[in-house]
């Protein structure tokens, strides 16, 4: 058995548990099946449709079967989604083969992320001279949060809004905030308690308002309010390439890398 970093295991568990909360909130399927966490709402907003690999993969045959199972599962669903595969869960001598075996199974790479974690240091309440922050408590807030994420990832705003509408989780449990520049929502971030940690989830900034510190400011606000309320200092998240430098400035660091694969469309 190859060694797996404890922080990589933390990242896997945090992701699967957080996505379990998101999907259960919309009455989706939350099950665990032989090392594959099924977190599938079959929602039009594709981020709510996820398969998370949770068990070590030691042999090429295991990896091949896992990718094929994931591909066949997604092929049988009405809406697209992704399988989330942490590199650290795959034997080091197999990692170079992940891409080719995924393609053989009918999967294509969507993008690469990094698991990140760290402990918050004491800070003053965050602010930004151009922004005001509002906690997500209303349908209007939910629509703004969903729309920002949809635009950030090139997805349908209406599909995102329809998935978020009516959510109890986003309004009552997640410390979710929208940043407004004047009357315009320009960034958002949410922190949710997951197994004694704060998980930072679905952070987004309006494309034309990036590099102004908006994303960092609203992220700091969400983490500050969550930590003040719960006393929790440990933070986990999965970061895209664009978001990674922001979280590093906050004091978080990379603990693992992971790849997202979607079903190839004929």
């Amino acid at each position: 058995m190859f060694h797996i970093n404890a922080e990589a295991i933390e990242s896997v568990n945090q992701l699967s548990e957080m996505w379990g909360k998101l999907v259960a909130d919309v009455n989706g399927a939350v099950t665990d099946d032989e090392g594959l966490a099924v977190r599938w709402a079959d929602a039009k907003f594709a981020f709510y449709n996820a398969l998370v690999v949770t068990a070590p993969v030691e042999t090429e045959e295991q990896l091949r079967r896992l990718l094929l199972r994931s591909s066949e599962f997604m092929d049988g669903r009405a809406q697209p989604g992704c399988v989330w595969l942490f590199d650290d869960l795959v034997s080091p001598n197999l990692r170079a083969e992940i891409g080719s075996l995924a393609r053989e199974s009918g999967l294509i790479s969507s993008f690469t992320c990094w698991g990140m974690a760290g402990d918050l240091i004491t800070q003053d309440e965050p602010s930004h001279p151009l922004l005001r922050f509002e906690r997500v408590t209303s349908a209007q807030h939910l629509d703004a949060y969903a729309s920002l994420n949809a635009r950030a990832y090139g997805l349908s705003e209406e599909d995102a809004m329809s998935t978020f509408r009516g959510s109890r989780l986003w309004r009552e449990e997640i410390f979710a905030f929208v940043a407004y520049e004047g009357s315009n929502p320009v960034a958002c971030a949410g922190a949710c308690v997951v197994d004694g940690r704060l998980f930072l989830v679905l952070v987004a900034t309006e494309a034309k308002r990036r590099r102004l510190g908006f994303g960092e400011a609203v992220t700091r606000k969400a983490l500050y309010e969550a930590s003040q309320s719960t006393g929790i200092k440990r933070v986990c998240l999965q970061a895209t390439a664009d978001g990674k430098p922001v979280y590093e400035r906050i004091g978080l660091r990379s603990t693992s890398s992971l790849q997202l694969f979607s079903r190839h469309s004929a």
Side-chain angles (χ1 to χ4, degrees):
M1 177 67 183
F2 59 96
H3 174 72
I4 303 174
N5 188 308
E7 288 185 320
I9 295 296
E10 176 187 46
S11 195
V12 173
N13 291 341
Q14 284 283 293
L15 175 66
S16 61
E17 291 300 314
M18 182 69 245
W19 251 249
K21 287 176 174 285
L22 290 174
V23 171
D25 183 52
V26 294
N27 300 313
V30 180
T31 61
D32 295 281
D33 179 24
E34 297 181 19
L36 198 63
V38 178
R39 308 292 188 255
W40 203 276
D42 223 23
K44 290 183 178 180
F45 182 56
F47 275 112
Y48 273 58
N49 306 326
L51 303 174
V52 183
V53 177
T54 57
V57 180
E58 297 192 67
T59 69
E60 181 177 319
E61 184 57 30
Q62 276 183 288
L63 181 57
R64 193 185 304 273
R65 287 200 308 268
L66 175 71
L67 292 168
L68 186 59
R69 279 173 59 205
S70 300
S71 179
E72 290 175 344
F73 178 95
M74 290 191 283
D75 196 38
R77 308 278 83 78
Q79 301 299 334
C82 286
V83 54
W84 301 59
L85 177 60
F86 285 79
D87 295 322
D88 289 55
L89 288 185
V90 179
S91 178
N93 63 327
L94 291 175
R95 291 172 192 168
E97 301 178 41
I98 293 174
S100 60
L101 291 175
R103 288 189 293 273
E104 287 179 18
S105 301
L107 300 173
I108 56 173
S109 176
S110 294
F111 52 89
T112 298
C113 290
W114 288 266
M116 301 187 73
D119 297 313
L120 295 174
I121 61 173
T122 303
Q123 60 174 337
D124 296 330
E125 183 172 359
S127 63
H128 190 289
L130 298 179
L131 300 177
R132 75 175 194 283
F133 305 114
E134 293 187 15
R135 185 163 180 183
V136 171
T137 57
S138 68
Q140 184 178 14
H141 291 139
L142 282 173
D143 281 353
Y145 203 110
S147 294
L148 283 164
N149 269 276
R151 291 196 296 275
Y153 293 102
L155 301 173
S156 162
E157 290 182 59
E158 182 54 45
D159 289 346
M161 288 189 292
S162 66
T163 301
F164 276 65
R165 281 176 187 152
S167 171
R168 179 205 63 80
L169 182 71
W170 282 100
R171 288 186 292 184
E172 298 179 14
E173 186 172 337
I174 297 175
F175 293 84
F177 287 83
V178 177
Y180 291 84
E181 184 182 23
S183 60
N184 299 317
V186 291
C188 62
C192 186
V193 177
V194 178
D195 191 24
R197 299 159 178 82
L198 297 177
F199 190 95
L200 196 61
V201 59
L202 292 179
V203 178
T205 302
E206 190 70 65
K208 293 181 179 180
R209 308 306 289 156
R210 290 175 183 168
R211 297 181 176 82
L212 296 171
F214 291 177
E216 181 176 343
V218 74
T219 296
R220 287 183 182 275
K221 175 65 173 178
L223 291 175
Y224 173 85
E225 295 294 344
S227 183
Q228 287 289 110
S229 179
T230 65
I232 297 172
K233 301 295 184 182
R234 182 70 171 175
V235 177
C236 296
L237 73 147
Q238 272 72 50
T240 63
D242 286 342
K244 188 167 173 283
V246 174
Y247 307 127
E248 289 173 338
R249 288 196 294 273
I250 291 173
L252 309 181
R253 56 186 177 78
S254 300
T255 60
S256 55
S257 60
L258 63 152
Q259 304 178 56
L260 277 71
F261 295 96
S262 57
R263 186 73 175 89
H264 185 273
S265 300

